[in-house]
Amino acid sequence: MKYFTGQLLGLGVILGIMSLSEQVRGNNYPEVVTSLGTIKGTMMTSYHGKSFSAFRGIRYAQPPVAELRFKPFANQTLIDEDCLRLNIYTNNLPATDKLKSVLVYLHPGGFWAVGSSSQYFAGPNYLMDNDLVFVSLNYRLGSLGFMSTGTAESPGNNGLKDQVMALKFLRSHIEKFGGNPNDITLMGYSAGAMSISMHLVSPMSVGLFHKAIVMSSAATGQWENPVDQLHLAKKQARIFNCPDDNVDDMIECLRKVDGNEFGIRLKEMFEVFDYQPTLLWIPVVEPDFGQERFLVEDPTLSFYEGRFQKIPIISGIIKLEFAQYAISTLTNTERREQMESNWETLAPICFQYERDTERSKNISRALRKAYLDFPLTDERALEGLNLLYADGLIIFSVLRFIRLASRHTPVYSYMNTYVGNRSHTYYPDDKTPYGPVHHDDLIYLITGKGVVPEFDTLDSKQVTKATGQHSFKMGTRMRVLARMF
């Protein structure tokens, strides 16, 4: 199977091709017979030496290609397409009457970026030391997954509807793998966590899961969920020389574009400032064209008024969310000077709030005074910009989610402050972890060779030490954001 690296991994059409040529331990090939046919797996070994079965690259829905591009679909079949797949890891075969809890993982990536359910990025080795069935899955991203024109041709949220289809597949078939279809926990990080917070309010997801772990994002931020993102669809059309004055003609033209090109030319969809805004494709509140709608109202309103699934929730943050953006801005003279001289223009893009209004300008000035009341060349600038990126992109949305949801259902909160010897960001040199930053939690939970090497036995204490997380309260800087939004 062809395997892609770099930006292309962020696209639903080529996401998560499971490399079955990877070395596996042992030569036993387990099989599971489902109503869709026989699925063959391989044997793997967990971090502490437990054998388990791995069924990778299971197709859970009809491939969304040709006339199905930009559309939802519902055909649960096993057919030859490299897109919508999931992976099931289990040590409960043959399936017994004592079915195990199921943990389903939704990967991060801002609905567009590098991300996959492949064990290269989301390895099962740590988790499979536990008594559970672990599932990871892919979903469409970028324009392929989230194009929304405000018309019946492409109402939006297809990447989220993909997730729904995967959950329906598990409800029907996970018992054959030793998993309990009535004990499914959704766990997601960043865009995966935002997805879960929307599954909690979506009428399409009712009853498909029973607990939620919402890590480092939520759909209750200061940004609005529009009814369409036609401007992005038109921008995508112009990139491929498609017409943008008629939606039907535009969609027909975009369906003919080679899927790989959406990845190759991804950068052209963004602002000129370092792949920002981070959340470019935003899930939409779908207009009613007679289709099954994933979002029917703003998620913040749903949580505020208690219209969501009342199930146990764990939710929290890591201390320096998105510090990598602060470092890359301040250590690049051109970007630092650009932010300094164009603060009122760039701040809404970087920290995700309304643009080009008097209110927007007032918010930008207030944020500058609260977080960065000094030049960006000041030695205090890194700490201030760290906090603003963390609060603006992640922490405000998570704290609001916790506060609103906890009025109606149990919510257990955490803040991860652990600094290990590995990180997604190293600074001021390439050997010093500048953590804990966005994604660093996953190093100890769900990771693979594409991120960091597996810990050896001498490092094993880090895996447990990293779970020593702490409760937290909203501080002064968060009250500043709360007043604004």
Side-chain angles (χ1 to χ4, degrees), residues 414-432:
Y414 69 86
M415 175 178 176
N416 187 349
T417 61
Y418 177 71
V419 183
N421 61 18
R422 301 179 189 182
S423 177
H424 283 76
T425 298
Y426 294 83
Y427 184 79
D429 55 54
D430 60 2
K431 293 183 174 59
T432 304

Side-chain angles (χ1 to χ4, degrees), residues 358-475:
E358 280 304 312
R359 181 173 181 267
S360 170
K361 293 177 182 179
N362 290 335
I363 291 172
S364 298
R365 295 183 194 115
L367 291 177
R368 185 63 191 260
K369 182 175 179 60
Y371 289 81
L372 291 160
D373 196 17
F374 37 77
L376 295 182
T377 53
D378 191 286
E379 62 181 10
R380 297 168 291 174
L382 181 56
E383 180 182 6
L385 197 55
N386 275 343
L387 296 178
L388 184 47
Y389 266 115
D391 293 348
L393 296 185
I394 301 295
I395 297 178
F396 176 74
S397 67
V398 174
L399 291 188
R400 179 190 261 181
F401 168 73
I402 291 171
R403 286 195 163 188
L404 293 177
S406 63
R407 294 161 50 189
H408 306 279
T409 197
V411 179
Y412 304 87
S413 64
Y414 69 86
M415 175 178 176
N416 187 349
T417 61
Y418 177 71
V419 183
N421 61 18
R422 301 179 189 182
S423 177
H424 283 76
T425 298
Y426 294 83
Y427 184 79
D429 55 54
D430 60 2
K431 293 183 174 59
T432 304
Y434 189 82
V437 303
H438 197 59
H439 293 129
D440 275 3
D441 326 52
L442 299 179
I443 292 174
Y444 310 100
L445 295 171
I446 303 172
T447 192
K449 292 182 291 186
V451 182
V452 296
E454 187 177 280
F455 287 101
D456 59 33
T457 54
L458 295 178
D459 295 320
S460 61
K461 289 184 179 179
Q462 292 204 54
V463 178
T464 53
K465 185 176 180 181
T467 62
Q469 300 168 336
H470 313 284
S471 62
F472 61 97
K473 297 180 180 179
M474 181 181 282

Side-chain angles (χ1 to χ4, degrees), residues 200-213:
L200 286 166
V201 305
S202 173
M204 292 182 67
S205 307
V206 174
L208 295 179
F209 63 105
H210 312 92
K211 300 165 202 161
I213 303 174

Side-chain angles (χ1 to χ4, degrees), residues 20 49 139 157 207 218 240 268 323 339 365 371 422 428 438 446 485:
L20 298 182
Y139 52 96
N157 298 331
F240 293 125
E268 297 175 51
M339 179 174 275
R365 295 183 194 115
Y371 289 81
R422 301 179 189 182
H438 197 59
I446 303 172
F485 305 114

Side-chain angles (χ1 to χ4, degrees), residues 140-207:
R140 281 177 286 176
L141 301 176
S143 291
L144 297 176
F146 291 90
M147 182 175 288
S148 52
T149 59
T151 66
E153 191 66 20
S154 184
N157 298 331
N158 288 327
L160 296 164
K161 293 174 183 178
D162 294 343
Q163 296 171 10
V164 171
M165 293 310 305
L167 292 173
K168 289 182 177 180
F169 178 96
L170 294 174
R171 182 178 61 186
S172 299
H173 302 292
I174 197 62
E175 188 169 346
K176 297 292 186 180
F177 296 86
N180 187 347
N182 298 311
D183 186 8
I184 293 177
T185 297
L186 271 187
M187 179 173 77
Y189 201 93
S190 197
M194 186 179 294
S195 299
I196 294 172
S197 65
M198 287 184 282
H199 283 293
L200 286 166
V201 305
S202 173
M204 292 182 67
S205 307
V206 174

Side-chain angles (χ1 to χ4, degrees), residues 103-344:
L103 180 65
V104 180
Y105 175 62
L106 303 181
H107 70 74
F111 300 125
W112 62 269
V114 172
S116 171
S117 71
S118 165
Q119 68 182 59
Y120 196 68
F121 292 98
N125 290 9
Y126 297 147
L127 287 175
M128 290 311 296
D129 278 321
N130 299 282
D131 194 31
L132 53 80
V133 174
F134 175 52
V135 179
S136 59
L137 62 94
N138 299 322
Y139 52 96
R140 281 177 286 176
L141 301 176
S143 291
L144 297 176
F146 291 90
M147 182 175 288
S148 52
T149 59
T151 66
E153 191 66 20
S154 184
N157 298 331
N158 288 327
L160 296 164
K161 293 174 183 178
D162 294 343
Q163 296 171 10
V164 171
M165 293 310 305
L167 292 173
K168 289 182 177 180
F169 178 96
L170 294 174
R171 182 178 61 186
S172 299
H173 302 292
I174 197 62
E175 188 169 346
K176 297 292 186 180
F177 296 86
N180 187 347
N182 298 311
D183 186 8
I184 293 177
T185 297
L186 271 187
M187 179 173 77
Y189 201 93
S190 197
M194 186 179 294
S195 299
I196 294 172
S197 65
M198 287 184 282
H199 283 293
L200 286 166
V201 305
S202 173
M204 292 182 67
S205 307
V206 174
L208 295 179
F209 63 105
H210 312 92
K211 300 165 202 161
I213 303 174
V214 181
M215 305 176 70
S216 290
S217 193
T220 47
Q222 65 275 13
W223 49 82
E224 293 184 3
N225 290 87
V227 296
D228 67 69
Q229 286 192 293
L230 182 58
H231 67 289
L232 282 184
K234 289 185 174 183
K235 186 173 185 177
Q236 186 74 84
R238 291 191 294 270
I239 288 172
F240 293 125
N241 296 316
C242 289
D244 67 353
D245 55 344
N246 179 281
V247 171
D248 290 342
D249 293 342
M250 177 179 69
I251 293 295
E252 183 63 27
C253 178
L254 286 171
R255 286 202 179 109
K256 297 175 182 177
V257 176
D258 184 280
N260 291 350
E261 290 296 313
F262 287 86
I264 293 169
R265 303 187 67 176
L266 177 65
K267 189 173 183 178
E268 297 175 51
M269 289 296 294
F270 284 82
E271 309 287 347
V272 296
F273 197 74
D274 196 24
Y275 278 98
Q276 296 181 60
T278 304
L279 194 63
L280 182 61
W281 284 274
I282 297 176
V284 298
V285 178
E286 296 176 47
D288 188 354
F289 301 108
Q291 84 283 16
E292 194 172 10
R293 295 190 290 166
F294 183 83
L295 280 185
V296 298
E297 67 180 2
D298 184 275
T300 301
L301 178 63
S302 298
F303 284 110
Y304 181 79
E305 298 193 350
R307 290 191 289 272
F308 66 96
Q309 295 189 60
K310 313 301 194 303
I311 61 176
I313 297 169
I314 296 174
S315 184
I317 60 171
I318 197 163
K319 183 179 179 181
L320 297 177
E321 303 276 10
F322 277 99
Q324 48 267 59
Y325 273 170
I327 292 171
S328 66
T329 296
L330 296 179
T331 56
N332 182 297
T333 301
E334 181 180 357
R335 280 204 295 271
R336 185 187 67 239
E337 292 177 350
Q338 193 178 358
M339 179 174 275
E340 185 76 270
S341 60
N342 296 283
W343 177 261
E344 290 184 5

